[in-house]
């Protein structure tokens, strides 16, 4: 892993930080969240024209920059520092990848250039459960063929949508809605994605009062609304949404790290200026310890978020904006960009973990961060009896080892899921919560006032954890998918 940033990535970060410093200060931020749209359209136009922010991860043939999730994550870190209210997350992170992966050639040619140019804002009208961050997304979050969620039915050559979705990010102001809906009734239920323009008859959108004003949410009601099917209708939409959830979690983790780092900077600056007993309070040992603890937690979260961004940007063509053949999502239960396992004794390609069950070369240690394959001794490379480690207190059976057999059958995850990004998001949300809470405490009496900016970071921490978490569920589902606590039969 190369932890350094490229010259282009450094320039993206520097330019975006300077622009946000000029155009998204505390006064501009408060003015933007009070507008009906919940963001500053002029700022979004500048971000689109000067930096190409909406098209960072879109291919150049669609007027994009041709970057990857890594560039999106770096941009999100700077937006998080300023708490900039923009349609970036809803449009560039959640909606554009779905159009790129599932849309037909005509839909991509029509929508993606307008998204990349900042002329078209989008929103994913679905609960965050569809992203498979805290649980399987093949449940009833969109109705499951029963009452509730959003249902789609044919009316001649058209599709009609009926239902309601709460807490849609930028749903009140987006020009185009991507709506997952169930089709086929209960017996043949499946989930498809539909495109709904903002001026469609029967569409009712209401902005909600939220804890975090910089993250506007809306309630979307569809009353027999005409919609266009995204793609050809044969893609595995829950699998595509699960893959989207991994990249979105990476971007959100970097955004939370940026906000946490900025909250810590503001707190350190205040403690250096605030005097008590004739000396700055930053000189007191108790304050130093608290700030040092926050710094360690923020930097640990930054490392996790950067690793998730690097891994997401190195997984292959899918994450770099090249959809699978035919514009369809990967087959159910498969991950994108995974090729043949490397030869024994060779390191895997950048961003590729070694294939499950393939040990390193005899006498060699496994790659850093990788545990030896199940049933293999890291020191000698010989399988233990039965291919499983011995029970505690017992020694492995001596003599000729049995023939290597297939590992015990395991239940595959219902959808493709990479635990790296949710774990990075959990650590980043936790760091933001701690940093913002300490900011309020160490700012003293002014920290919890409406006029001060510390409360905005605390609200972002609480709002994001309610919307995409909580932290313990992010970690719990990641452990479940990784089979961390799966019981295995021991053969002696």
């Amino acid at each position: 892993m190369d932890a350094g940033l490229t010259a282009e990535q450094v320039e993206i970060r520097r330019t975006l930080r300077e622009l946000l410093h000029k155009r998204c200060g505390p006064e501009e931020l408060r003015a933007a969240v009070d507008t009906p749209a919940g963001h500053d359209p002029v700022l979004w136009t500048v971000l689109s024209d000067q930096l190409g922010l909406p098209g960072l991860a879109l291919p150049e043939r669609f007027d994009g920059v041709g970057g990857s999730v890594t560039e999106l994550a770096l941009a999100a870190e700077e937006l998080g520092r300023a708490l900039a209210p923009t349609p970036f997350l809803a449009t560039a992170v959640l909606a554009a990848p779905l159009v790129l992966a599932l849309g037909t050639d005509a839909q991509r040619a029509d929508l993606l250039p307008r998204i990349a140019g900042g002329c078209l804002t989008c929103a994913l009208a679905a609960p965050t459960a569809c992203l498979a961050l805290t649980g399987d997304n093949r449940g009833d979050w969109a109705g499951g063929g029963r009452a509730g969620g959003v249902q789609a039915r044919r009316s001649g050559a058209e599709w009609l949508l009926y239902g309601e979705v709460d807490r849609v990010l930028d749903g009140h102001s987006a020009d185009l809605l991507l709506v997952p809906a169930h089709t086929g009734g209960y017996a043949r239920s499946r989930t498809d994605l539909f495109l709904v323009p903002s001026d469609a008859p029967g569409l009712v959108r209401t902005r909600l009062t939220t804890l975090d004003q910089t993250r506007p949410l809306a309630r979307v009601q569809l009353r027999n609304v005409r919609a266009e099917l995204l793609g050809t209708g044969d893609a595995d939409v829950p699998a595509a949404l699960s893959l989207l959830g991994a990249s979105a979690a990476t971007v959100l983790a970097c955004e939370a790290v940026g906000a946490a780092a900025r909250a810590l900077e503001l707190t350190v600056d205040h403690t250096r200026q605030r005097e008590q007993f004739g000396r700055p309070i930053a000189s007191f040992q108790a304050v130093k310890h608290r700030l040092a603890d926050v710094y360690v937690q923020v930097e640990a979260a930054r490392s996790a978020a950067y690793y998730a961004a690097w891994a997401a940007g190195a997984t292959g063509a899918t994450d770099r904006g090249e959809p699978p053949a035919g514009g369809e999502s990967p087959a159910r239960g498969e991950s994108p960009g995974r090729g043949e396992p490397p030869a024994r004794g060779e390191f895997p390609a950048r961003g590729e973990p070694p294939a499950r069950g393939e040990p390193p070369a005899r006498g060699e240690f496994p790659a850093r961060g990788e545990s030896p394959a199940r049933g293999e001794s890291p020191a000698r490379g010989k399988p233990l009896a039965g291919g499983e480690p011995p029970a505690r207190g017992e020694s492995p059976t001596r003599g000729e080892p049995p023939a290597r057999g297939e590992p015990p059958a395991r239940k595959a995850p219902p959808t493709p899921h990479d635990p790296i990004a949710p774990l990075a998001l959990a650590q980043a949300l936790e760091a933001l919560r701690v940093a913002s809470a300490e900011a309020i405490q160490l700012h003293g009496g002014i920290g919890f006032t409406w006029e001060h900016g510390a409360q905005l970071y605390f609200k972002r921490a609480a709002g994001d954890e309610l919307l995409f978490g909580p932290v313990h569920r992010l970690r719990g589902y990641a452990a479940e998918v990784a089979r961390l606590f799966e019981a295995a039969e021991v053969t002696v």
Side-chain angles (χ1 to χ4, degrees), residues 79-103:
L79 294 172
R81 284 178 57 88
L83 297 181
T86 67
F88 173 78
L89 180 60
T91 300
V93 179
L94 296 178
L98 289 176
V99 176
L100 179 63
L102 304 180

Side-chain angles (χ1 to χ4, degrees), residues 309-333:
W310 169 83
T315 51
T318 300
D319 286 329
R320 298 183 188 280
E322 295 295 333
E328 297 182 3
S329 61
R332 182 176 300 182

Side-chain angles (χ1 to χ4, degrees), residues 18 41 64 135 165 183 217 248 268 280-281 338 347 355 384 387 405 420 449 475:
E18 292 178 355
V165 186
T183 63
L217 303 175
V268 171
I281 62 174
R338 303 292 187 187
F347 288 102
L384 302 175
I420 295 176
T449 60
R475 289 173 172 155

Side-chain angles (χ1 to χ4, degrees), residues 25-233:
E27 293 79 11
E28 292 84 357
L29 170 62
R30 294 174 184 270
V33 298
D34 290 336
T35 61
H39 66 270
D40 183 5
V42 177
L43 174 62
W44 180 242
T45 301
V46 172
L47 293 174
S48 303
D49 294 343
Q50 295 187 10
L51 299 179
L53 206 63
L56 275 180
L58 292 178
E60 294 181 4
R61 67 179 185 273
F62 297 120
D63 299 336
V65 177
S68 67
V69 179
T70 306
E71 283 72 29
L72 287 177
L74 292 174
E77 183 179 3
E78 297 305 318
L79 294 172
R81 284 178 57 88
L83 297 181
T86 67
F88 173 78
L89 180 60
T91 300
V93 179
L94 296 178
L98 289 176
V99 176
L100 179 63
L102 304 180
T104 63
D105 292 339
Q107 289 170 335
R108 293 175 192 160
D110 176 41
L111 299 177
L112 292 180
R114 290 194 287 156
I115 292 176
C119 304
L120 181 70
T121 58
C122 306
L124 178 62
T128 53
C130 75
L131 300 178
L133 296 178
T134 58
D136 178 24
N137 69 345
R138 296 188 186 273
D140 294 342
W141 55 267
R146 302 175 176 85
V150 179
Q151 306 294 327
R153 63 180 179 87
R154 277 193 175 276
S155 177
E158 299 178 333
W159 285 96
L160 298 180
L161 304 185
Y162 191 93
E164 178 178 307
V165 186
D166 275 330
R167 299 193 302 173
V168 177
L169 190 62
D170 289 328
H172 64 292
S173 61
D175 302 320
L176 182 69
L177 298 179
L178 275 69
V179 185
H182 272 277
T183 63
Y186 179 70
R188 296 182 300 276
S189 175
R190 60 174 285 112
T191 303
D192 285 316
L193 269 172
F194 296 88
L195 302 174
V196 178
S198 59
D199 57 352
L203 176 64
V204 179
R205 305 185 294 175
T206 307
R207 183 177 178 181
L208 302 176
T209 301
T210 58
L211 176 64
D212 179 15
Q213 290 181 304
T214 64
R215 190 84 87 188
L217 303 175
R219 176 184 296 113
V220 175
Q221 296 173 315
L222 304 110
R223 301 167 181 172
N224 291 325
V225 176
R226 289 183 176 86
E228 176 187 355
L229 180 66
L230 179 65
T232 57

Side-chain angles (χ1 to χ4, degrees), residues 30 47 96 113 131 206 223 247 250 299 334 397 406 448 456 466 468:
R30 294 174 184 270
L47 293 174
L131 300 178
T206 307
R223 301 167 181 172
S247 61
T250 299
E299 290 305 310
E334 296 181 359
T397 305
E406 295 294 329
F448 63 87
L456 297 176
L466 289 172
F468 302 104

